[in-house]
Amino acid sequence: MSKRSLIYAANWKMNHGPTAARDFLARFLQVTSPAADRQLWFFPPAVSIAAARDAAAGRDDVVVGAQNVHWEPKGAFTGELSIPLVMEAGARAVLIGHSERRHLFGETDEQVGRKLAAAIKSGLTPMVCVGETLAEREGGRTEQVVTRQVAALLDRIGPADWERVVLAYEPVWAIGTGKNATPDDAAQVHGLIRFELGRRGVTGRVPILYGGSVNQGNVLALLAREEVDGVLVGGASLEPDGWAELVGLGA
Ligand code: PGA
């Protein structure tokens, strides 16, 4: 039986300028061989997309993406980046609706939906994040919140478009806190998302990653659940040897 394909995604947030991104990838790729059943995604800061793309040239298992984009293809939006701009720099993917965008910058379900639709239209692969806050979890509203976030996506694109979408379930309380969801928590929410997609006519299997304090100590237990198709990682992805070790653990 062939192994299922996994995505290991590094969200570098506000770390690694062009020089550091180049150095990281030179080292990381030296110690990480391509594997048919593993994709390595990197979301560097926008200023480092071109450097990362160049450093990973020739490695088809590597995908470089932007951490955010605006939904309009052009216009007077000072400080924003359009999809054509990040694609020209070398992005093939984009992170949409990360919880830091939603909660620190006030991004709404509606804006997340617009960004998803724009990415699908332009050929950029979207990785859309959903997840509940601690107050929502403790208030027993995880299911309701995640279903609402997924519904806002389903409203924007057609069932066939989902072939090109990747989702990431990231409980907000687990991001950067050292508190990860248990494999059971993750599997349960992934199952809920799959149910919602199926109910709305999405027939293919949409990859769903787990994110939030993933590290070398917990990654295998999370990936052991067949509902989890990979991991989206911040802190533990910032150093090339440690990240290479983590992505090699399941090999
Ligand atoms: P973390 O971040 O791995 O540092 O918790 C994950 C993320 O924000 O995507």
Side-chain angles (χ1 to χ4, degrees):
M1 206 176 87
S2 70
K3 278 207 304 186
R4 107 199 112 111
S5 187
L6 295 176
I7 298 175
Y8 291 83
N11 174 12
W12 284 351
K13 309 192 182 185
M14 221 155 63
N15 297 282
H16 298 335
T19 305
R22 204 175 291 117
D23 291 350
F24 180 112
L25 279 158
R27 171 68 190 165
F28 174 81
L29 295 175
Q30 192 183 22
V31 294
T32 312
S33 306
D37 51 11
R38 179 180 69 193
Q39 290 180 35
L40 304 166
W41 293 34
F42 290 90
F43 295 100
V47 293
S48 304
I49 291 172
R53 183 263 321 262
D54 292 347
R59 283 287 296 254
D60 293 341
D61 56 326
V62 174
V63 174
V64 175
Q67 294 176 11
N68 181 34
V69 285
H70 196 275
W71 56 83
E72 291 293 342
K74 60 181 183 175
F77 300 103
T78 301
E80 292 291 319
L81 290 171
S82 69
I83 292 174
L85 289 175
V86 299
M87 288 180 86
E88 186 182 338
R92 285 167 52 204
V94 60
L95 207 51
I96 295 177
H98 187 275
S99 74
E100 286 150 18
R101 302 289 331 158
R102 291 179 189 261
H103 297 289
L104 302 177
F105 299 98
E107 216 168 87
T108 62
D109 285 345
E110 207 242 325
Q111 292 171 331
V112 170
R114 279 176 188 241
K115 291 179 183 196
L116 170 64
I120 290 293
K121 199 167 149 204
S122 66
L124 204 55
T125 302
M127 181 183 288
V128 189
C129 304
V130 297
E132 79 288 359
T133 63
L134 185 59
E136 288 162 345
R137 173 158 284 254
E138 288 179 342
R141 298 202 306 281
T142 299
E143 191 165 320
Q144 181 194 331
V145 169
V146 172
T147 303
R148 189 203 73 221
Q149 291 172 335
V150 172
L153 309 176
L154 283 157
D155 290 345
R156 288 281 174 176
I157 58 173
D161 294 325
W162 284 85
E163 268 174 39
R164 302 200 8 245
V165 179
V166 176
L167 293 178
Y169 167 56
E170 293 204 312
V172 181
W173 49 270
I175 296 177
T177 59
K179 266 198 280 183
N180 69 298
T182 64
D184 281 348
D185 292 335
Q188 194 210 349
V189 178
H190 287 213
L192 165 78
I193 295 170
R194 290 230 155 79
F195 175 79
E196 198 52 28
L197 295 175
R199 202 176 66 79
R200 298 274 299 261
V202 179
T203 50
R205 182 182 170 94
V206 175
I208 308 177
L209 278 51
Y210 168 77
S213 293
V214 173
N215 58 39
Q216 292 186 16
N218 59 30
V219 67
L220 285 182
L222 289 158
L223 292 176
R225 305 302 296 251
E226 68 94 22
E227 295 90 343
V228 180
D229 299 301
V231 285
L232 174 58
V233 184
S237 74
L238 291 177
E239 190 276 310
D241 289 287
W243 184 233
E245 261 177 59
L246 191 153
V247 307
L249 281 175

